[in-house]
Amino acid sequence: AMIGVELVNSGPQVGGGQLQGKVYLQVDKEKVSALSLVLRFVGLEKVCVSYTETSGTGDDRTTTTYYAYANHDIVRIEATLAQFPSGEVTKGRYEFPFVLNIPPNVPGTQGQPVGSDYFAIQYTIGAELIRPASMLNAKVANSTEIFIMDPPAIGPPVPSTVSPHIVPVSFCCCYSTGQMQLTANVDSTCPAMGESFNVSFGVENMSSSKVKGVEVMLVQVVHGNAEGHSFSITSQLFKVRFPGGEVPGSEKKRGGQSYQSVASQASASTLKTVVANVPLCRPTLKGVNGGVSHMLIVKACTPACTVNPVIEVPMKIHASRAMFQNMVPAVELPFQRPADWQAQNIPMATPSVGTVMSV
């Protein structure tokens, strides 16, 4: 026996929407033992963490890589599409239409559960022929991946509320050279992929250290935890660097100039503005065993052996439909309906499925 799952609306879905489709069952033998046919909609948070352990000494020293996994159910819906009171299904072709209500507020699809050190959100819809427990009864099931998109941001832009930071500046970690005040204002902390936002930033150098340049960066951090192990991967989504002389207030403190006199000028300083673009990336998400975070960072670059002062603004990046353009749904087992397919059963109604078993 073979099972196939076909969706009418196979594009990216949204929480609170509906999935419509059919489950196809083809039995080639005279009869197959079966109790029922069930439909499953499952959303999983998947994490994999690679780690190494070293054993032995000298020439016998070896390092082995292991993998730790953690899965968490986001949603799990199960419904019976058909029951077989006789305990068997006879030879033939059958189809069972369904309508499934996607729970609202589920996080969107992201990441791929392949390789190592990943954090992914994956949804699948599948069907299984429930058979009597026996070693002779092979599993008859199939599933296909579904892409769910986060809902678009609603409402006006949310500006940043991070106050200017006064950061100590030290040379070789021990010798203080004064302070720097960093300012970073963002006009929208919740942009979507493909959108842009304005960053106004400034540096008030109240130290004797030189500011060689100022960097404005948008970074993404993907992290996960499993079985006591963890990983964290940081990537830059946007970066621009300005020479120190182009940023007002970045000149180092002149001899005899006090910190107070420079600090009093900070509020009146002119901030420099740059437009930052959000590329295709991953949407911000805080999960159970991992997540994705985004941060706007302004960093004052100082000479070697001097700590670079930074100010950080938390960001929340929303998904866009463009992120699904090159994603291909994974299918457990290919199922191709014959050209002469003719279902011999006539369903009386289309079951509507939407009972959430666990969230």
Side-chain angles (χ1 to χ4, degrees):
M2 295 184 295
I3 286 180
V5 180
E6 183 180 85
L7 295 176
V8 175
N9 49 343
S10 57
Q13 310 297 317
V14 293
Q18 283 190 335
L19 285 174
Q20 300 182 37
K22 292 181 180 180
V23 173
Y24 298 98
L25 173 62
Q26 179 171 317
V27 180
D28 297 321
K29 295 182 178 180
E30 289 302 318
K31 59 181 179 179
V32 171
S33 61
L35 302 176
S36 62
L37 178 68
V38 299
L39 180 75
R40 293 193 183 99
F41 173 67
V42 179
L44 287 176
E45 175 188 299
K46 296 184 174 184
V47 173
C48 174
V49 182
S50 63
Y51 63 97
T52 58
E53 291 185 357
T54 303
S55 60
T57 58
D59 294 338
D60 296 327
R61 185 183 179 89
T62 59
T63 300
T64 306
T65 301
Y66 298 94
Y67 300 92
Y69 297 90
N71 290 342
H72 171 73
D73 277 13
I74 298 171
V75 60
R76 185 175 291 270
I77 298 174
E78 184 170 312
T80 300
L81 294 181
Q83 292 183 326
F84 310 107
S86 64
E88 61 186 28
V89 183
T90 58
K91 182 177 181 178
R93 297 169 176 176
Y94 308 85
E95 61 183 54
F96 305 88
F98 65 86
V99 175
L100 185 141
N101 300 312
I102 303 174
N105 303 320
V106 293
T109 301
Q110 64 165 285
Q112 294 291 327
V114 294
S116 62
D117 293 339
Y118 62 71
F119 168 80
I121 302 295
Q122 186 179 55
Y123 295 91
T124 58
I125 187 166
E128 180 180 358
L129 198 62
I130 304 301
R131 311 185 67 189
S134 172
M135 295 180 61
L136 301 178
N137 288 339
K139 183 177 180 180
V140 181
N142 203 353
S143 65
T144 183
E145 186 178 8
I146 298 173
F147 298 143
I148 294 183
M149 188 172 70
D150 289 307
I154 300 176
V158 180
S160 61
T161 58
V162 177
S163 302
H165 286 11
I166 296 180
V167 184
V169 181
S170 58
F171 177 75
C172 291
C173 301
C174 301
Y175 304 101
S176 174
T177 63
Q179 298 174 320
M180 288 189 193
Q181 176 173 286
L182 301 181
T183 302
N185 298 324
V186 178
D187 65 348
S188 176
T189 57
C190 302
M193 301 172 201
E195 295 183 350
S196 60
F197 58 93
N198 296 318
V199 182
S200 299
F201 64 96
V203 177
E204 284 296 331
N205 191 355
M206 300 175 277
S207 76
S208 57
S209 297
K210 179 182 179 180
V211 176
K212 300 174 63 177
V214 178
E215 293 180 349
V216 179
M217 298 171 287
L218 177 63
V219 301
Q220 171 180 278
V221 180
V222 180
H223 63 92
N225 303 278
E227 301 176 16
H229 303 277
S230 63
F231 79 90
S232 180
I233 301 175
T234 301
S235 56
Q236 291 184 354
L237 305 179
F238 172 87
K239 179 180 178 180
V240 63
R241 180 186 174 106
F242 297 91
E246 293 185 9
V247 181
S250 62
E251 299 83 2
K252 65 181 181 180
K253 178 176 67 69
R254 297 183 295 275
Q257 190 175 27
S258 66
Y259 298 155
Q260 291 79 8
S261 63
V262 178
S264 64
Q265 302 168 10
S267 59
S269 65
T270 301
L271 300 181
K272 192 174 184 65
T273 300
V274 63
V275 178
N277 299 309
V278 183
L280 285 180
C281 56
R282 299 180 60 162
T284 306
L285 176 65
K286 182 178 180 181
V288 174
N289 297 308
V292 180
S293 60
H294 296 90
M295 194 76 65
L296 188 285
I297 300 175
V298 175
K299 178 173 69 174
C301 302
T302 55
C305 299
T306 303
V307 178
N308 293 324
V310 299
I311 182 172
E312 299 179 343
V313 179
M315 304 288 291
K316 183 176 182 180
I317 306 299
H318 289 271
S320 70
R321 190 169 291 270
M323 69 179 287
F324 297 99
Q325 288 180 350
N326 298 320
M327 297 177 67
V328 179
V331 178
E332 185 177 354
L333 294 170
F335 179 83
Q336 186 68 41
R337 277 187 299 142
D340 61 346
W341 177 274
Q342 182 67 42
Q344 62 190 62
N345 67 320
I346 303 176
M348 299 302 294
T350 299
S352 181
V353 182
T355 304
V356 179
M357 304 302 292
S358 63
V359 177

